[in-house]
PDB file of all heavy atoms in Angstrom:
ATOM      1  N   GLY A  65      14.423  38.551  -0.145  1.00 98.00           N
ATOM      2  CA  GLY A  65      15.200  38.944   1.035  1.00 98.00           C
ATOM      3  C   GLY A  65      16.348  39.894   0.742  1.00 98.00           C
ATOM      4  O   GLY A  65      16.866  40.540   1.643  1.00 98.00           O
ATOM      5  N   GLY A  66      16.798  39.963  -0.516  1.00 97.00           N
ATOM      6  CA  GLY A  66      17.895  40.870  -0.875  1.00 97.00           C
ATOM      7  C   GLY A  66      19.094  40.684   0.038  1.00 97.00           C
ATOM      8  O   GLY A  66      19.495  39.556   0.343  1.00 97.00           O
ATOM      9  N   GLY A  67      19.635  41.803   0.519  1.00 96.00           N
ATOM     10  CA  GLY A  67      20.846  41.780   1.338  1.00 96.00           C
ATOM     11  C   GLY A  67      20.620  41.338   2.777  1.00 96.00           C
ATOM     12  O   GLY A  67      21.580  41.268   3.562  1.00 96.00           O
ATOM     13  N   PHE A  68      19.358  41.027   3.121  1.00 97.00           N
ATOM     14  CA  PHE A  68      19.041  40.717   4.521  1.00 97.00           C
ATOM     15  C   PHE A  68      19.474  39.293   4.899  1.00 97.00           C
ATOM     16  O   PHE A  68      19.638  38.993   6.075  1.00 97.00           O
ATOM     17  CB  PHE A  68      17.536  40.903   4.734  1.00 97.00           C
ATOM     18  CG  PHE A  68      17.120  41.192   6.162  1.00 97.00           C
ATOM     19  CD1 PHE A  68      17.938  41.847   7.053  1.00 97.00           C
ATOM     20  CD2 PHE A  68      15.849  40.818   6.593  1.00 97.00           C
ATOM     21  CE1 PHE A  68      17.529  42.112   8.360  1.00 97.00           C
ATOM     22  CE2 PHE A  68      15.423  41.077   7.888  1.00 97.00           C
ATOM     23  CZ  PHE A  68      16.270  41.727   8.766  1.00 97.00           C
ATOM     24  N   TRP A  69      19.649  38.420   3.910  1.00 95.00           N
ATOM     25  CA  TRP A  69      20.025  37.038   4.225  1.00 95.00           C
ATOM     26  C   TRP A  69      21.394  36.928   4.883  1.00 95.00           C
ATOM     27  O   TRP A  69      21.591  36.209   5.847  1.00 95.00           O
ATOM     28  CB  TRP A  69      20.086  36.192   2.944  1.00 95.00           C
ATOM     29  CG  TRP A  69      18.760  35.718   2.472  1.00 95.00           C
ATOM     30  CD1 TRP A  69      18.137  36.104   1.320  1.00 95.00           C
ATOM     31  CD2 TRP A  69      17.887  34.780   3.120  1.00 95.00           C
ATOM     32  NE1 TRP A  69      16.925  35.471   1.222  1.00 95.00           N
ATOM     33  CE2 TRP A  69      16.752  34.657   2.306  1.00 95.00           C
ATOM     34  CE3 TRP A  69      17.957  34.047   4.310  1.00 95.00           C
ATOM     35  CZ2 TRP A  69      15.681  33.817   2.639  1.00 95.00           C
ATOM     36  CZ3 TRP A  69      16.898  33.221   4.634  1.00 95.00           C
ATOM     37  CH2 TRP A  69      15.787  33.114   3.807  1.00 95.00           C
ATOM     38  N   ILE A  70      22.318  37.657   4.275  1.00 91.00           N
ATOM     39  CA  ILE A  70      23.717  37.337   4.591  1.00 91.00           C
ATOM     40  C   ILE A  70      24.387  38.406   5.442  1.00 91.00           C
ATOM     41  O   ILE A  70      25.425  38.169   6.048  1.00 91.00           O
ATOM     42  CB  ILE A  70      24.475  37.053   3.276  1.00 91.00           C
ATOM     43  CG1 ILE A  70      25.737  36.252   3.519  1.00 91.00           C
ATOM     44  CG2 ILE A  70      24.791  38.323   2.508  1.00 91.00           C
ATOM     45  CD1 ILE A  70      25.962  35.184   2.511  1.00 91.00           C
ATOM     46  N   GLY A  71      23.717  39.586   5.521  1.00 88.00           N
ATOM     47  CA  GLY A  71      24.228  40.636   6.386  1.00 88.00           C
ATOM     48  C   GLY A  71      25.602  41.099   5.975  1.00 88.00           C
ATOM     49  O   GLY A  71      25.851  41.355   4.807  1.00 88.00           O
ATOM     50  N   GLY A  72      26.507  41.174   6.944  1.00 83.00           N
ATOM     51  CA  GLY A  72      27.799  41.788   6.681  1.00 83.00           C
ATOM     52  C   GLY A  72      28.885  40.799   6.334  1.00 83.00           C
ATOM     53  O   GLY A  72      29.075  39.797   7.020  1.00 83.00           O
ATOM     54  N   TYR A  73      29.595  41.061   5.248  1.00 84.00           N
ATOM     55  CA  TYR A  73      30.887  40.428   4.991  1.00 84.00           C
ATOM     56  C   TYR A  73      30.793  38.901   4.963  1.00 84.00           C
ATOM     57  O   TYR A  73      31.613  38.200   5.543  1.00 84.00           O
ATOM     58  CB  TYR A  73      31.863  40.898   6.084  1.00 84.00           C
ATOM     59  CG  TYR A  73      33.310  40.822   5.711  1.00 84.00           C
ATOM     60  CD1 TYR A  73      33.778  41.458   4.574  1.00 84.00           C
ATOM     61  CD2 TYR A  73      34.212  40.129   6.511  1.00 84.00           C
ATOM     62  CE1 TYR A  73      35.115  41.393   4.239  1.00 84.00           C
ATOM     63  CE2 TYR A  73      35.553  40.060   6.185  1.00 84.00           C
ATOM     64  CZ  TYR A  73      36.000  40.698   5.051  1.00 84.00           C
ATOM     65  OH  TYR A  73      37.319  40.622   4.719  1.00 84.00           O
ATOM     66  N   LEU A  74      29.733  38.374   4.324  1.00 87.00           N
ATOM     67  CA  LEU A  74      29.518  36.915   4.177  1.00 87.00           C
ATOM     68  C   LEU A  74      29.511  36.200   5.528  1.00 87.00           C
ATOM     69  O   LEU A  74      30.009  35.088   5.640  1.00 87.00           O
ATOM     70  CB  LEU A  74      30.606  36.265   3.306  1.00 87.00           C
ATOM     71  CG  LEU A  74      30.673  36.584   1.822  1.00 87.00           C
ATOM     72  CD1 LEU A  74      31.753  35.741   1.149  1.00 87.00           C
ATOM     73  CD2 LEU A  74      29.338  36.319   1.141  1.00 87.00           C
ATOM     74  N   MET A  75      29.000  36.841   6.565  1.00 91.00           N
ATOM     75  CA  MET A  75      29.105  36.229   7.896  1.00 91.00           C
ATOM     76  C   MET A  75      27.763  35.919   8.541  1.00 91.00           C
ATOM     77  O   MET A  75      27.714  35.571   9.732  1.00 91.00           O
ATOM     78  CB  MET A  75      29.948  37.103   8.812  1.00 91.00           C
ATOM     79  CG  MET A  75      31.389  37.049   8.376  1.00 91.00           C
ATOM     80  SD  MET A  75      32.485  37.743   9.567  1.00 91.00           S
ATOM     81  CE  MET A  75      34.051  37.342   8.793  1.00 91.00           C
ATOM     82  N   ASN A  76      26.680  36.071   7.738  1.00 93.00           N
ATOM     83  CA  ASN A  76      25.366  35.651   8.228  1.00 93.00           C
ATOM     84  C   ASN A  76      24.870  36.367   9.471  1.00 93.00           C
ATOM     85  O   ASN A  76      23.957  35.884  10.138  1.00 93.00           O
ATOM     86  CB  ASN A  76      25.351  34.146   8.517  1.00 93.00           C
ATOM     87  CG  ASN A  76      24.961  33.354   7.288  1.00 93.00           C
ATOM     88  OD1 ASN A  76      24.413  33.907   6.340  1.00 93.00           O
ATOM     89  ND2 ASN A  76      25.241  32.070   7.297  1.00 93.00           N
ATOM     90  N   LYS A  77      25.484  37.480   9.809  1.00 95.00           N
ATOM     91  CA  LYS A  77      24.999  38.252  10.971  1.00 95.00           C
ATOM     92  C   LYS A  77      24.483  39.597  10.481  1.00 95.00           C
ATOM     93  O   LYS A  77      25.151  40.263   9.677  1.00 95.00           O
ATOM     94  CB  LYS A  77      26.120  38.514  11.991  1.00 95.00           C
ATOM     95  CG  LYS A  77      26.683  37.267  12.633  1.00 95.00           C
ATOM     96  CD  LYS A  77      25.729  36.683  13.656  1.00 95.00           C
ATOM     97  CE  LYS A  77      26.308  35.402  14.249  1.00 95.00           C
ATOM     98  NZ  LYS A  77      25.313  34.598  14.951  1.00 95.00           N
ATOM     99  N   VAL A  78      23.303  39.987  10.978  1.00 96.00           N
ATOM    100  CA  VAL A  78      22.801  41.329  10.679  1.00 96.00           C
ATOM    101  C   VAL A  78      22.833  42.137  11.969  1.00 96.00           C
ATOM    102  O   VAL A  78      22.744  41.570  13.067  1.00 96.00           O
ATOM    103  CB  VAL A  78      21.364  41.288  10.109  1.00 96.00           C
ATOM    104  CG1 VAL A  78      21.349  40.644   8.735  1.00 96.00           C
ATOM    105  CG2 VAL A  78      20.385  40.565  11.031  1.00 96.00           C
ATOM    106  N   THR A  79      22.984  43.461  11.832  1.00 97.00           N
ATOM    107  CA  THR A  79      22.923  44.317  13.019  1.00 97.00           C
ATOM    108  C   THR A  79      21.745  45.280  12.880  1.00 97.00           C
ATOM    109  O   THR A  79      21.350  45.639  11.769  1.00 97.00           O
ATOM    110  CB  THR A  79      24.224  45.136  13.211  1.00 97.00           C
ATOM    111  OG1 THR A  79      24.392  46.018  12.102  1.00 97.00           O
ATOM    112  CG2 THR A  79      25.441  44.239  13.354  1.00 97.00           C
ATOM    113  N   LEU A  80      21.193  45.642  14.024  1.00 97.00           N
ATOM    114  CA  LEU A  80      20.095  46.623  14.064  1.00 97.00           C
ATOM    115  C   LEU A  80      20.323  47.523  15.260  1.00 97.00           C
ATOM    116  O   LEU A  80      20.723  47.042  16.324  1.00 97.00           O
ATOM    117  CB  LEU A  80      18.730  45.936  14.222  1.00 97.00           C
ATOM    118  CG  LEU A  80      18.222  45.181  12.998  1.00 97.00           C
ATOM    119  CD1 LEU A  80      18.599  43.731  13.070  1.00 97.00           C
ATOM    120  CD2 LEU A  80      16.723  45.344  12.867  1.00 97.00           C
ATOM    121  N   ARG A  81      20.054  48.822  15.063  1.00 97.00           N
ATOM    122  CA  ARG A  81      20.204  49.764  16.169  1.00 97.00           C
ATOM    123  C   ARG A  81      18.851  50.033  16.803  1.00 97.00           C
ATOM    124  O   ARG A  81      17.819  50.052  16.122  1.00 97.00           O
ATOM    125  CB  ARG A  81      20.791  51.079  15.648  1.00 97.00           C
ATOM    126  CG  ARG A  81      22.243  50.919  15.211  1.00 97.00           C
ATOM    127  CD  ARG A  81      22.904  52.263  15.068  1.00 97.00           C
ATOM    128  NE  ARG A  81      22.403  52.993  13.939  1.00 97.00           N
ATOM    129  CZ  ARG A  81      22.421  54.321  13.847  1.00 97.00           C
ATOM    130  NH1 ARG A  81      22.869  55.053  14.849  1.00 97.00           N
ATOM    131  NH2 ARG A  81      21.976  54.925  12.767  1.00 97.00           N
ATOM    132  N   ALA A  82      18.881  50.255  18.116  1.00 98.00           N
ATOM    133  CA  ALA A  82      17.636  50.604  18.821  1.00 98.00           C
ATOM    134  C   ALA A  82      17.039  51.841  18.160  1.00 98.00           C
ATOM    135  O   ALA A  82      17.792  52.724  17.733  1.00 98.00           O
ATOM    136  CB  ALA A  82      17.946  50.877  20.286  1.00 98.00           C
ATOM    137  N   PRO A  83      15.731  51.945  17.976  1.00 97.00           N
ATOM    138  CA  PRO A  83      14.691  51.072  18.540  1.00 97.00           C
ATOM    139  C   PRO A  83      14.242  49.943  17.598  1.00 97.00           C
ATOM    140  O   PRO A  83      13.242  49.299  17.869  1.00 97.00           O
ATOM    141  CB  PRO A  83      13.535  52.052  18.766  1.00 97.00           C
ATOM    142  CG  PRO A  83      13.647  52.998  17.603  1.00 97.00           C
ATOM    143  CD  PRO A  83      15.127  53.130  17.301  1.00 97.00           C
ATOM    144  N   SER A  84      14.988  49.692  16.502  1.00 97.00           N
ATOM    145  CA  SER A  84      14.456  48.772  15.480  1.00 97.00           C
ATOM    146  C   SER A  84      14.496  47.309  15.918  1.00 97.00           C
ATOM    147  O   SER A  84      13.875  46.457  15.274  1.00 97.00           O
ATOM    148  CB  SER A  84      15.203  48.957  14.161  1.00 97.00           C
ATOM    149  OG  SER A  84      16.578  48.800  14.349  1.00 97.00           O
ATOM    150  N   GLN A  85      15.198  47.008  17.027  1.00 97.00           N
ATOM    151  CA  GLN A  85      15.157  45.621  17.530  1.00 97.00           C
ATOM    152  C   GLN A  85      13.737  45.229  17.929  1.00 97.00           C
ATOM    153  O   GLN A  85      13.415  44.042  18.017  1.00 97.00           O
ATOM    154  CB  GLN A  85      16.151  45.416  18.691  1.00 97.00           C
ATOM    155  CG  GLN A  85      15.664  45.756  20.071  1.00 97.00           C
ATOM    156  CD  GLN A  85      15.585  47.265  20.315  1.00 97.00           C
ATOM    157  OE1 GLN A  85      15.939  48.064  19.468  1.00 97.00           O
ATOM    158  NE2 GLN A  85      15.136  47.647  21.496  1.00 97.00           N
TER     159      GLN A  85
END
Side-chain angles (χ1 to χ4, degrees):
F68 204 29
W69 279 113
I70 201 138
Y73 203 55
L74 292 185
M75 290 192 174
N76 271 343
K77 296 286 178 196
V78 292
T79 63
L80 288 94
R81 291 196 290 154
S84 55
Q85 86 285 357

